[in-house]
Amino acid sequence: MIKKISLFVVLLVVSLSVTASAAVGALVLDGSTTVGPIAKTFAAYFTKKYGVRVTVSESGSGNGAKSLINGSCTIATMSRAMKAAEIAAARQKGVNPVASVVALDGLAMVVHPANPVRSLTKAQISGIYRGTITNWREVGGPNARIVVLQRESNSGTEESFKELVIGKGVQITGSAETQSSNGSVKSRVNSTLPAIGFLGHGFVDGSVKVIAVNGVFPTVATVKNGSYPVSRPLYFYTNGQPAGLVKQFVDLPNSAEGKRMITELGFINR
Amino acid sequence: MNIGTRKILDRSFTAVGIGSIVVMAIALMIVVVPIITNGIGAVFFTGTVEHRKMLFSEFKRGDSENLSSEVASSNRYRAKVYGMLTGFEAELETMAPEKKAEYQAKYSEVRAALQALLGPLPGDPEPMLTRFKYGQTRWEKAEEKLHDLLYESKWDNSNPEVMAKEYFVSRAIGFQGTSLVKLFPYVKDNFEEILLPEFTFYWGFITDSSVDSHFFGGIWPEIQGTFFLAIGAMLFAFPLGVVAAVYFTEYARPGFLNSMLRSANSTLAGVPSIVFGMFGLAFFINTLKVSESKSVIAGALTLAIMILPTIIRAAEEAILAVPKTYREASLSLGSTKWNTIATVILPAALPGIITGGIISLGRAAGETAPIIFTAAVSVGSAIGLADVLTSPTPALSWNIYNLASEHEAAAQIRHVQYGMVLALVSIVLMLNLSAIVLRARISKKLKG
């Protein structure tokens, strides 16, 4: 019995090592959950069209940057620009991060559909997130304590939000709940009447209500012309100027098909 | 203590025991029943003609003649709906501008609801995303979408002191006096003829790859990835674990080093799995560079380290449980120590060792944290055996989490998520059952 088992194990190991061969030009994408839908759709399209395997992980923009610096992904998808510290770390390891813009994204402020509040100013949102406004009554809503939702520190969406709305270096209130992805913010808002959160534009659906910021709703037009105040570009980061397959992939947002996929997913073309 | 008190104590202890078993059984039912009923819904459900269209064009499956006759019969009813749309569009052109703008907004909502129900309408451009190419493939989802078409959800804000309440308004009322008002009762009355619901057994859910990030298709890459990871982990952990157990029980001399090793092993058993995940990333990928990026091999090695202590413990216990007389008999016949271990002790301990191994296999299959950073991706095709050294893979445990939280349309594909949960639970259950069977067979063989 022991002999049989050990023989089996040896055989398996041998067959594994024999059949192991280098993968043919596979692309590895890692990073933002916001860029996730675009990355996954592009990956399926790319595999279908060129027969190249593309894998996508959604572990957050910060992880995407780390993976690129460690050389463990070919393209980092990020919902914020790389920070100076990350670029310095990359340079030290001989990695030269090059950004290309995939699409534009309006960060939608969302509340439960039952919430009668239709619009908030940037100052009001900032007050809510800093903890100076704690009841919906203070911004023209019903008498209910505001449940503030934020994203984890790894999230590019969180950093963009901080930068665009409450200002860099300002602390978000300690009572804010942290959610780990756009999807979980959406389901938390949908199940919590007095909640407020922010989502990438492509994640908005009928289960939550988008409110206007400074009186402007995030739409294709307002994000494109910059009148919606909370919008940001989404990036693909590569090591060095993209070439070959990587270039073909990174250039997808410029093609007619790529543009249509981005539109259908609810993001905004540059 | 007199006999009366003793009896009462005895009885109450029995009652507490039975009570706790009942509570456990109820808890198990509460967990397992929804998993099974919802999970089965991914494979057995009432499918519409859209499901059969999707199967035919994405997987080349189904009877093309049958399908085209079905599509033709459904299109006869749809044509009337489309006719009403064009009729109303013409009517819109004749309206006064402000009235037209008012209806236009409402009409685009109706169109969107119809697109969700029936797929692209005539005149729509062919969508790039597969999820928009078909209407509702599942009957229960189609009924929800029908409700969206017939009724508009509104929120009652009359009391500013409390949150609004939802109520529904029939869309037909909004189109009173126009030609479109007939569309709503028509779709409602001919709903079955339009979508042709039929009981469907979609076995492809197990064997197909996903289409358009799990909107359609099955979960084969995830199942395969789970097996690769679990079996890969066993390939490393099982031989190592048995060797270590033999060392601990047969060769190690009691001493400082030995007790250190033992307590290290016990500590390893208590380390949270996410720590193994981080360790796997830092050690196997960033330091040893077993692969350029995430790969099955890195994930399997990480899982192997995680299950190693359990295997060592189980093997140790099994070896210690072998009666001392076996060993003495073998040695007294002049056998060497190694020979005794290989031919007497290990075979006698095998049932216990294998049980420990298979239970750890189940654990490796179900763990998420160790593979997040080392092996799992949210989208990827099924990989071949040749790619395990370089490619990451989707895996059930991670993709269940991904679909539950990160997927952009999680609420629309709940059935896939339940199906994955059921598949994972069945795999673990099957592994544990096979452990029981194997154990019984081996001990029977040894006795006989």
Side-chain angles (χ1 to χ4, degrees):
Chain A
M1 195 65 198
I2 295 278
K3 267 185 192 159
K4 263 190 198 163
I5 287 181
S6 50
L7 195 70
F8 176 70
V9 169
V10 169
L11 269 180
L12 255 177
V13 170
V14 169
S15 63
L16 270 180
S17 46
V18 168
T19 49
S21 60
V24 257
L27 297 183
V28 181
L29 275 71
D30 194 359
S32 165
T33 65
T34 312
V35 193
I38 300 181
K40 286 188 285 187
T41 308
F42 279 9
Y45 173 81
F46 206 69
T47 309
K48 212 170 174 184
K49 199 163 176 192
Y50 301 106
V52 179
R53 178 162 29 245
V54 185
T55 55
V56 180
S57 321
E58 298 152 284
S59 48
S61 295
N63 267 330
K66 277 180 207 135
S67 294
L68 191 75
I69 293 169
N70 287 332
S72 59
C73 72
T74 26
I75 299 173
T77 60
M78 295 182 66
S79 59
R80 59 168 169 83
M82 261 202 192
K83 293 181 215 160
E86 285 167 338
I87 292 176
R91 291 269 153 75
Q92 218 164 32
K93 287 214 169 187
V95 173
N96 175 29
V98 175
S100 66
V101 174
V102 185
L104 301 178
D105 183 27
L107 264 184
M109 299 304 304
V110 291
V111 295
H112 193 278
N115 197 327
V117 172
R118 281 178 49 80
S119 177
L120 291 173
T121 64
K122 225 160 124 170
Q124 283 172 324
I125 298 173
S126 171
I128 290 172
Y129 274 87
R130 275 180 293 135
T132 53
I133 298 175
T134 55
N135 197 303
W136 281 110
R137 191 187 260 166
E138 296 165 57
V139 289
N143 179 17
R145 196 182 60 84
I146 302 178
V147 176
V148 181
L149 304 181
Q150 64 167 342
R151 292 284 306 282
E152 82 284 8
S153 59
N154 195 23
S155 155
T157 306
E158 169 91 2
E159 305 226 356
S160 309
F161 174 78
K162 273 190 184 168
E163 199 179 316
L164 292 165
V165 181
I166 61 172
K168 263 186 181 172
V170 181
Q171 274 294 313
I172 284 184
T173 167
S175 62
E177 253 178 54
T178 303
Q179 301 287 335
S180 66
S181 65
N182 283 291
S184 55
V185 170
K186 187 164 73 177
S187 57
R188 183 75 171 114
V189 170
N190 180 243
S191 62
T192 317
L193 286 172
I196 182 167
F198 46 87
L199 287 181
H201 193 248
F203 286 82
V204 173
D205 61 21
S207 65
V208 292
K209 185 173 97 173
V210 178
I211 54 176
V213 179
N214 292 348
V216 185
F217 282 98
T219 62
V220 175
T222 57
V223 170
K224 227 171 187 171
N225 68 22
S227 60
Y228 184 68
V230 204
S231 57
R232 39 104 190 236
L234 306 174
Y235 301 95
F236 281 156
Y237 272 91
T238 51
N239 178 11
Q241 283 300 332
L245 277 175
V246 181
K247 183 167 169 52
Q248 270 175 309
F249 193 91
V250 170
D251 282 345
L252 271 181
N254 303 327
S255 69
E257 275 108 351
K259 286 204 159 103
R260 275 183 56 200
M261 285 188 264
I262 289 173
T263 311
E264 284 181 17
L265 285 167
F267 291 92
I268 295 120
N269 279 301
R270 192 154 53 117
Chain B
M1 203 184 287
N2 66 31
I3 292 188
T5 347
R6 230 190 264 178
K7 265 191 179 162
I8 291 172
L9 274 176
D10 201 35
R11 290 229 179 94
S12 51
F13 184 74
T14 319
V16 169
I18 292 175
S20 63
I21 287 175
V22 169
V23 169
M24 249 176 65
I26 292 173
L28 193 68
M29 291 291 277
I30 291 173
V31 174
V32 169
V33 168
I35 288 180
I36 293 179
T37 48
N38 289 312
I40 281 182
V43 183
F44 298 97
F45 56 93
T46 314
T48 65
V49 66
E50 295 293 322
H51 177 72
R52 300 188 282 281
K53 270 195 225 171
M54 182 278 293
L55 270 190
F56 188 75
S57 46
E58 301 296 327
F59 296 102
K60 305 274 166 288
R61 208 179 285 147
D63 179 3
S64 73
E65 259 174 50
N66 203 353
L67 179 68
S68 49
S69 80
E70 271 187 338
V71 169
S73 100
S74 148
N75 279 352
R76 272 199 296 282
Y77 289 92
R78 289 183 189 203
K80 257 192 120 169
V81 177
Y82 300 151
M84 287 180 203
L85 293 183
T86 30
F88 182 72
E89 275 159 30
E91 198 180 329
L92 263 183
E93 294 306 314
T94 63
M95 284 179 190
E98 62 273 19
K99 215 176 153 196
K100 182 180 166 184
E102 184 201 326
Y103 276 117
Q104 190 86 54
K106 280 195 257 174
Y107 176 63
S108 62
E109 281 177 26
V110 171
R111 264 187 88 93
L114 271 176
Q115 276 163 343
L117 195 60
L118 304 176
L121 304 174
D124 286 344
E126 168 81 0
M128 285 295 293
L129 299 180
T130 319
R131 68 188 74 162
F132 297 126
K133 283 185 187 161
Y134 306 97
Q136 289 303 313
T137 55
R138 298 168 68 93
W139 182 244
E140 81 273 5
K141 293 267 170 206
E143 281 177 324
E144 279 171 29
K145 296 288 173 193
L146 176 68
H147 187 267
D148 291 348
L149 172 70
L150 298 179
Y151 301 97
E152 191 181 356
S153 144
K154 294 225 169 168
W155 294 88
D156 171 20
N157 283 330
S158 52
N159 183 357
E161 272 302 291
V162 294
M163 286 289 177
K165 284 196 179 57
E166 190 172 23
Y167 65 101
F168 292 98
V169 185
S170 165
R171 281 191 207 272
I173 292 171
F175 288 95
Q176 211 77 56
T178 68
S179 65
L180 202 68
V181 74
K182 279 184 290 181
L183 177 122
F184 303 98
Y186 179 81
V187 175
K188 194 181 173 193
D189 294 341
N190 298 294
F191 197 47
E192 293 206 6
E193 284 80 1
I194 289 173
L195 282 175
L196 302 168
E198 195 175 86
F199 176 76
T200 308
F201 168 41
Y202 179 43
W203 48 268
F205 185 73
I206 309 292
T207 57
D208 286 340
S209 292
S210 91
V211 175
D212 194 5
S213 39
H214 290 295
F215 265 85
F216 305 118
I219 57 169
W220 175 243
E222 282 78 17
I223 294 179
Q224 194 204 26
T226 303
F227 272 113
F228 275 174
L229 284 169
I231 291 173
M234 272 324 265
L235 283 183
F236 294 111
F238 193 74
L240 267 178
V242 174
V243 169
V246 168
Y247 172 78
F248 276 139
T249 50
E250 302 292 333
Y251 291 96
R253 288 204 193 88
F256 178 68
L257 184 71
N258 188 30
S259 64
M260 278 295 286
L261 282 175
R262 273 172 192 277
S263 55
N265 187 41
S266 316
T267 315
L268 208 57
V271 172
S273 52
I274 184 69
V275 176
F276 285 110
M278 300 310 294
F279 170 77
L281 172 69
F283 185 64
F284 292 122
I285 297 183
N286 291 345
T287 311
L288 286 190
K289 298 208 184 296
V290 293
S291 57
E292 291 248 308
S293 60
K294 293 178 184 180
S295 68
V296 174
I297 186 108
L301 283 167
T302 311
L303 287 170
I305 295 188
M306 187 194 71
I307 59 176
L308 196 55
T310 327
I311 294 183
I312 295 179
R313 273 291 180 78
E316 250 185 286
E317 295 300 322
I319 291 173
L320 289 176
V322 176
K324 223 176 171 185
T325 45
Y326 283 30
R327 193 187 319 253
E328 285 163 358
S330 170
L331 290 172
S332 72
L333 288 173
S335 166
T336 61
K337 189 171 187 186
W338 166 244
N339 208 14
T340 307
I341 293 169
T343 56
V344 177
I345 294 175
L346 279 183
L350 202 58
I353 296 177
I354 287 187
T355 311
I358 293 188
I359 286 171
S360 330
L361 190 63
R363 177 153 182 233
E367 274 292 345
T368 314
I371 60 172
I372 296 178
F373 300 112
T374 54
V377 286
S378 37
V379 145
S381 39
I383 60 169
L385 203 55
D387 298 317
V388 292
L389 295 184
T390 50
S391 293
T393 177
L396 284 171
S397 53
W398 160 251
N399 283 72
I400 290 168
Y401 169 72
N402 183 266
L403 283 198
S405 66
E406 287 175 9
H407 198 284
E408 66 270 23
Q412 288 177 53
I413 49 170
R414 282 273 179 258
H415 57 278
V416 179
Q417 194 191 325
Y418 275 119
M420 280 189 189
V421 171
L422 182 61
L424 183 57
V425 170
S426 321
I427 288 173
V428 174
L429 194 69
M430 254 163 44
L431 287 174
N432 288 352
L433 276 182
S434 64
I436 295 169
V437 172
L438 207 64
R439 187 194 175 105
R441 284 187 62 178
I442 293 176
S443 13
K444 212 171 149 192
K445 214 169 160 186
L446 286 175
K447 274 179 195 153

